[in-house]
Amino acid sequence: MHSYSLLAAAKINLYLEVVGDRPDGYHELVMVMQSIGLADRLTIRSLNSADIRLQCDHPQVPGDASNLAHRAAALLQNRFPQAMKQHGGVEITIQKNIPVGAGLAGGSADAAAVLVGVDMLWQLGLTQIELQTLGAELGSDVPFCISGGTAIATGRGEQIDSLQGIEQFYVVLAKYSSLTISTPWAYQAYRRAFAATYVDVNTAGQTRREALHSGPMVAAIYHQDGPDIGHHLHNDLEKVVLTQHAQVQALKDAMAASGGLGTLMSGSGPTVFTLAATRTEAEAIAAQVRSQLSDPDLELWVAPFVSTSVQFSP
Ligand code: ATP
């Protein structure tokens, strides 16, 4: 096989708590992540030359070596130079469906798909843990994007504990097309405003992790209790993003008033999502938000929860 087609799924955060500052300069986080059926499509093809080539159809996504998908292939080339000599370089084509700079980990999902696809193409036989360890070098969300499904993510987001799946639920996503938020900006703004609330991650980090493991959100997931999951949605970053962007706060208010199980901003935003028990309910919420906020810049999607992030596709 000299070519693979893969789907790389977006994620939402059902829970995101900022614990404090880590010695490595990142924030210590406690999160619950969920893969959703909104996915980029990647094709990974062998080349006769020892090149990494990338094509991407999206104007906001770099087409050069800074693209996270390109960096994923370069990392494997660096670690497994003999495999590249034997099997040739790779051409990566990305069809972007996940909005960019949206808090949905689109770049991380693409990087995860390249690690999984090139592992197959070069017959490296890496385990999921090995792929996740490599992925953590590219970005904190990449390890989750390799395993996907429903999971607790701690550390800087790269420590993954999978939970039982809750694939019966749906999500309505909404984002103003022209508004993107830089993840580093959101965390820096959070530090400026809330550093006084940070705890010492060495002494209290473990307590926060245990509190999430034994807390109400994980219990709600365990019981597959949609209203309870909706009730315990939480994202600390809303405190900086919603106060800086009145438009996103108004969007969240409109989504929350349209029914559903609960509404939250995903990651560093600005995507806002509402959980729904069925596709019919999700589509009704999307239609109501669309008619209430009739703004051509507003994009809406309906997607199911899914159990894997990277999927081989025909
Ligand atoms: P996260 O939720 O992980 O914080 P995000 O959804 O907010 O991420 P991305 O869509 O992953 O953000 O993109 C963030 C930045 O990364 C953009 O400025 C984009 O130009 C750059 N980038 C690099 N490679 C990619 C890629 N393959 N897809 C999307 N963006 C990429």
Side-chain angles (χ1 to χ4, degrees):
M1 185 64 129
H2 299 295
S3 167
Y4 288 101
S5 181
L6 301 112
L7 292 172
K11 61 83 184 159
I12 54 173
N13 298 83
L14 301 178
Y15 189 92
L16 189 160
E17 183 188 332
V18 179
V19 176
D21 272 323
R22 294 163 54 91
D24 61 11
Y26 286 90
H27 277 98
E28 179 80 14
L29 304 172
V30 168
M31 302 190 282
V32 177
M33 320 273 261
Q34 175 63 53
S35 301
I36 58 170
L38 171 64
D40 291 343
R41 181 176 284 277
L42 287 88
T43 308
I44 297 169
R45 202 171 275 121
S46 288
L47 291 173
N48 289 330
S49 58
D51 297 322
I52 299 169
R53 288 191 207 144
L54 183 106
Q55 286 181 33
C56 181
D57 58 358
H58 197 293
Q60 284 167 288
V61 175
D64 60 14
S66 69
N67 190 298
L68 218 46
H70 192 292
R71 288 179 51 211
L75 178 64
L76 290 177
Q77 174 188 18
N78 178 270
R79 294 301 152 83
F80 304 100
Q82 285 307 325
M84 193 193 230
K85 277 197 188 118
Q86 189 184 340
H87 297 279
V90 287
E91 182 183 62
I92 303 160
T93 309
I94 308 176
Q95 187 189 317
K96 271 318 271 182
N97 299 312
I98 304 172
V100 177
L104 301 174
S108 302
D110 295 347
V114 168
L115 292 177
V116 170
V118 174
D119 173 58
M120 290 290 284
L121 206 61
W122 291 353
Q123 298 168 14
L124 297 172
L126 297 172
T127 63
Q128 187 172 84
I129 302 275
E130 287 169 332
L131 289 168
Q132 288 178 316
T133 304
L134 284 165
E137 295 185 33
L138 298 164
S140 304
D141 284 342
V142 180
F144 170 74
C145 290
I146 285 169
S147 47
T150 311
I152 291 176
T154 54
R156 56 186 174 88
E158 87 290 8
Q159 303 286 337
I160 307 301
D161 285 317
S162 290
L163 297 171
Q164 97 180 359
I166 41 172
E167 286 88 50
Q168 65 269 46
F169 297 111
Y170 284 80
V171 65
V172 183
L173 303 149
K175 178 183 175 290
Y176 286 102
S177 173
S178 57
L179 179 63
T180 59
I181 289 187
S182 139
T183 303
W185 170 83
Y187 280 101
Q188 281 156 21
Y190 192 88
R191 181 181 283 118
R192 276 195 299 276
F194 296 105
T197 68
Y198 287 10
V199 299
D200 180 343
V201 300
N202 293 318
T203 53
Q206 181 63 17
T207 315
R208 295 292 178 94
R209 286 191 288 276
E210 284 167 8
L212 181 69
H213 270 270
S214 58
M217 172 55 90
V218 171
I221 290 169
Y222 179 75
H223 291 111
Q224 318 247 328
D225 185 332
D228 218 25
I229 295 170
H231 184 68
H232 290 101
L233 294 172
H234 175 82
N235 183 351
D236 272 341
L237 296 177
E238 283 191 339
K239 290 184 255 177
V240 287
V241 178
L242 298 187
T243 46
Q244 288 282 318
H245 296 277
Q247 192 189 24
V248 184
Q249 176 68 65
L251 175 59
K252 187 183 175 195
D253 294 343
M255 303 268 294
S258 300
L261 302 170
T263 299
L264 192 73
M265 185 183 81
S266 182
S268 52
T271 304
V272 175
F273 67 83
T274 295
L275 302 187
T278 63
R279 180 178 282 279
T280 308
E281 188 189 345
E283 281 168 356
I285 292 165
Q288 191 174 331
V289 173
R290 162 69 62 218
S291 69
Q292 202 183 330
L293 297 175
S294 61
D295 181 336
D297 195 39
L298 183 65
E299 289 189 278
L300 288 150
W301 300 262
V302 167
F305 281 17
V306 294
S307 62
T308 49
S309 182
V310 181
Q311 241 190 319
F312 287 90
S313 141

